[in-house]
Amino acid sequence: MTYEKWEDADRSTNRERVVANFLNSNPWLSRDYFKRFGGKEVLEIGCGAGPATCLFAEYGANVTAIDLTDAAVNLTTANSSGLPVKIQRMDAEHLDFPPASFDHVFSWGVLHHSAEPVKAFSEVARVLKPGGTVLIMVYNRASLKYYLKGLIYLLLKRRLLHGDTLASVQRFYTDGYYHKHFTPGELTRALTKLRVTQISISHMAKKMIPGIPRWLDDVLKRKYDLLLIVEGVRENMAVGGLTGTSL
């Protein structure tokens, strides 16, 4: 949750470190993204150690942050000290907020770990105001990493002999008990209550395949990497039994 390397001698956290690690590890994101939401009601689902929560709050957003774990709630509470944020332990599949509560919902690398991600996507749409926006990052099943690492575990590490499949071996190198992967089409169809405006493929800062030239790494990452980012908007439609015009 802190983006600190496991082998680092000092894995303590503070706001500056978790924010720097978060931005340095995720080149798709920048401070300019968070600046767009000053004065807006923002919900972050899966706050982890709180880097995105802190960035939204530093640029003037009214932030509510939730996570399923006490560890994340405690980390975000400590790292966001002095910032006007609300932090709660909550299940994304059962959000305890009224309909149309937020202008923007942000979830980076979290909802693919839900037991029922489609239920969480529906909850995101329910708590968004009409015209509200969303950004969700999940794992990309059409990525090169999905197949390369999957085949390494199935064949070279002989997980095929233990009854594993490409889908099940992902548990050996992705975090979380659940590890759902989506293709762009599957993700669009799963977000039935939102209008998808943009789908992007991105990556972590480290190389996709160790030892390859940087130019080849850049080419592969643009088309075939692991992070699938969807941006969307909630239009005036019926959500949770209420019409968009009445919310």
Side-chain angles (χ1 to χ4, degrees), residues 54-238:
C54 293
L55 285 162
F56 280 120
E58 286 173 6
Y59 290 112
N62 302 311
V63 189
T64 300
I66 68 164
D67 202 286
L68 190 61
T69 69
D70 288 325
V73 169
N74 293 337
L75 277 170
T76 300
T77 299
N79 290 329
S80 65
S81 177
L83 293 174
V85 301
K86 292 175 284 188
I87 306 161
Q88 299 180 56
R89 185 174 182 272
M90 194 178 296
D91 182 354
E93 296 175 11
H94 306 281
L95 295 177
D96 190 22
F97 302 114
S101 294
F102 299 98
D103 299 300
H104 184 66
V105 175
F106 176 88
S107 185
W108 189 264
V110 173
L111 294 180
H112 48 219
H113 296 311
S114 169
E116 297 186 68
V118 173
K119 184 181 290 186
F121 296 156
S122 180
E123 281 289 88
V124 168
R126 183 184 65 80
V127 301
L128 270 175
K129 298 176 183 178
T133 56
V134 62
L135 185 146
I136 296 171
M137 185 274 278
V138 294
Y139 290 145
N140 178 20
R141 190 162 62 83
S143 71
L144 188 60
K145 191 173 293 185
Y146 179 89
Y147 291 96
L148 282 177
K149 285 202 169 184
L151 290 173
I152 286 170
Y153 274 87
L154 282 177
L155 302 178
L156 298 183
K157 298 192 176 185
R158 301 184 179 184
R159 293 307 309 179
L160 190 62
L161 300 177
H162 297 270
D164 277 305
T165 65
L166 269 175
S168 67
V169 294
Q170 306 300 318
R171 73 185 187 275
F172 292 111
Y173 53 89
T174 58
D175 51 346
Y177 183 82
Y178 299 104
H179 40 84
K180 174 75 174 177
H181 291 63
F182 295 85
T183 65
E186 288 168 344
L187 183 56
T188 299
R189 290 190 291 274
L191 295 165
T192 55
K193 296 180 179 179
L194 296 165
R195 178 170 62 84
V196 173
T197 58
Q198 180 74 33
I199 288 186
S200 307
I201 294 172
S202 188
H203 54 88
M204 304 294 282
K206 62 185 179 181
K207 284 187 177 182
M208 180 189 286
I209 303 172
I212 64 172
R214 176 59 66 185
W215 68 266
L216 179 56
D217 188 59
D218 290 340
V219 170
L220 293 175
K221 281 178 173 177
R222 283 196 296 271
K223 292 188 175 182
Y224 305 112
D225 216 328
L226 187 62
L227 309 188
L228 190 61
I229 302 162
V230 62
E231 297 172 85
V233 62
R234 203 215 120 180
E235 298 181 310
N236 290 344
M237 61 177 71

